[in-house]
Amino acid sequence: MQLTLLTHLDAVRVLFYIGIAYIAVPIIFFLMKALKKIRPKKKALRLAGLILGVGIVLEIPSLYYLYLNGEYNISEYNNSDILYIAADSGDMSAIKRMLKKGGDPSQVTRFGNTAFYCAADRGDSAAVSLMLEYGADVNKTGNQYTPLAAACKNGDSVMAYELLKAGADPDYMPEKYPSALSCAAAFDEGYNFELINMLCGAGANRSAVTVDSTGKRWLPFKYYFHKAWQTELTPEEQSDYDRIAALLERSYRDWVMENADFLKNQQAKG
């Protein structure tokens, strides 16, 4: 089993406390000898020295993981950072522990996003439910995909349903990142009508425009357009495509008509 950062740290903590005990006992022993409270035999002195050496060896992992190795140096990590790590590893016991310690599931961590986003992106329903109980913001993101958009990007209808039920806004999108509906269209390779129909039923704007980093403007249906023309579809895929097109194409065509002059100018510039 691959050790995660948290299991490393738990092991280090155990070794640290055992090491302290191993060091403390011989130190007390030698102190009492120095004060002439006891007169130990040479064999006892050698044993005390051996125990002291073992204690020092047990402290080495603590020095390495907590101070020397930058990857595991958590001296500056807060509870929310460690909560993110727990969410990323799917460690429910650690998630519960860090939430109880005050870890904020909606805080943007040093890893660039929130622990709640991480749990939603992984499709971890148990972690998402628990974080919602602790007040997680269902829409908060680190200027990337929203938790709902991440679920849609993964084609995860179950997670998308849970997030919508918890109050996720299907139309909220950070700058230059697509809406949940656009993600469902862009990353779906199996013509997931259930997911797209769910988003539309939740009031998602079918004409929501995404402006990407290059300045191009996209609508949800645009992501599907190439599939009908460039890919040979099976009868089942064609059926699902037609159902999705019925949901998205009308809004796309209306938007194109409303923005005809703008689009012509864009094409001329291109």
Side-chain angles (χ1 to χ4, degrees):
M1 174 178 153
Q2 184 178 5
L3 292 177
T4 65
L5 174 56
L6 288 175
T7 54
H8 273 301
L9 295 175
D10 287 339
V12 167
R13 290 189 185 100
V14 172
L15 290 175
F16 174 78
Y17 291 120
I18 294 175
I20 289 294
Y22 269 72
I23 291 172
V25 171
I27 286 178
I28 293 172
F29 178 81
F30 287 122
L31 182 61
M32 292 179 68
K33 177 183 178 297
L35 295 173
K36 298 182 179 180
K37 298 292 185 181
I38 58 174
R39 296 178 180 274
K41 295 181 179 180
K42 289 184 178 180
K43 184 180 289 187
L45 289 171
R46 286 197 296 269
L47 179 60
L50 178 62
I51 293 173
L52 179 62
V54 170
I56 293 172
V57 170
L58 290 175
E59 293 304 298
I60 292 175
S62 301
L63 293 173
Y64 176 73
Y65 281 111
L66 301 183
Y67 298 103
L68 301 179
N69 188 329
E71 180 182 359
Y72 295 109
N73 183 357
I74 64 162
S75 59
E76 297 181 0
Y77 283 25
N78 59 37
N79 289 335
S80 299
D81 293 328
I82 301 177
L83 176 61
Y84 182 98
I85 298 169
D88 189 45
S89 64
D91 188 336
M92 278 302 296
S93 62
I95 290 172
K96 292 176 183 177
R97 188 164 70 246
M98 299 319 300
L99 285 170
K100 289 179 180 178
K101 285 187 175 183
D104 184 352
S106 299
Q107 179 179 322
V108 178
T109 66
R110 64 178 58 230
F111 304 104
N113 223 314
T114 70
F116 184 79
Y117 171 91
C118 183
D121 188 37
R122 293 183 69 256
D124 192 338
S125 296
V128 163
S129 297
L130 182 61
M131 290 183 193
L132 286 170
E133 291 178 15
Y134 278 80
D137 184 340
V138 74
N139 293 311
K140 184 70 177 290
T141 184
N143 197 31
Q144 297 180 24
Y145 299 102
T146 64
L148 178 60
C152 292
K153 179 168 62 75
N154 298 332
D156 191 343
S157 300
V158 174
M159 179 55 63
Y161 174 78
E162 292 180 11
L163 294 173
L164 288 169
K165 186 178 178 181
D169 181 356
D171 290 329
Y172 175 70
M173 52 182 170
E175 185 180 359
K176 298 179 181 178
Y177 282 86
S179 67
L181 187 57
S182 288
C183 281
F187 295 96
D188 174 33
E189 296 181 357
Y191 302 92
N192 193 337
F193 174 78
E194 176 190 8
L195 177 57
I196 292 177
N197 187 48
M198 182 195 307
L199 291 168
C200 291
N205 181 6
R206 305 173 204 190
S207 301
V209 178
T210 298
V211 181
D212 65 20
S213 57
T214 67
K216 290 183 178 180
R217 302 164 72 88
W218 301 87
L219 267 73
F221 182 72
K222 180 76 172 180
Y223 289 110
Y224 265 93
F225 193 71
H226 73 284
K227 294 185 179 183
W229 290 90
Q230 299 180 9
T231 307
E232 185 175 347
L233 306 182
T234 66
E236 293 79 11
E237 288 174 336
Q238 185 66 55
S239 175
D240 287 334
Y241 174 88
D242 291 341
R243 296 167 75 192
I244 292 169
L247 288 173
L248 303 181
E249 187 175 14
R250 186 63 181 179
S251 297
Y252 172 73
R253 292 187 180 280
D254 289 344
W255 181 85
V256 169
M257 293 298 293
E258 292 171 5
N259 293 272
D261 292 338
F262 169 81
L263 294 173
K264 285 180 181 177
N265 290 335
Q266 290 295 101
Q267 289 178 350
K269 290 179 181 179

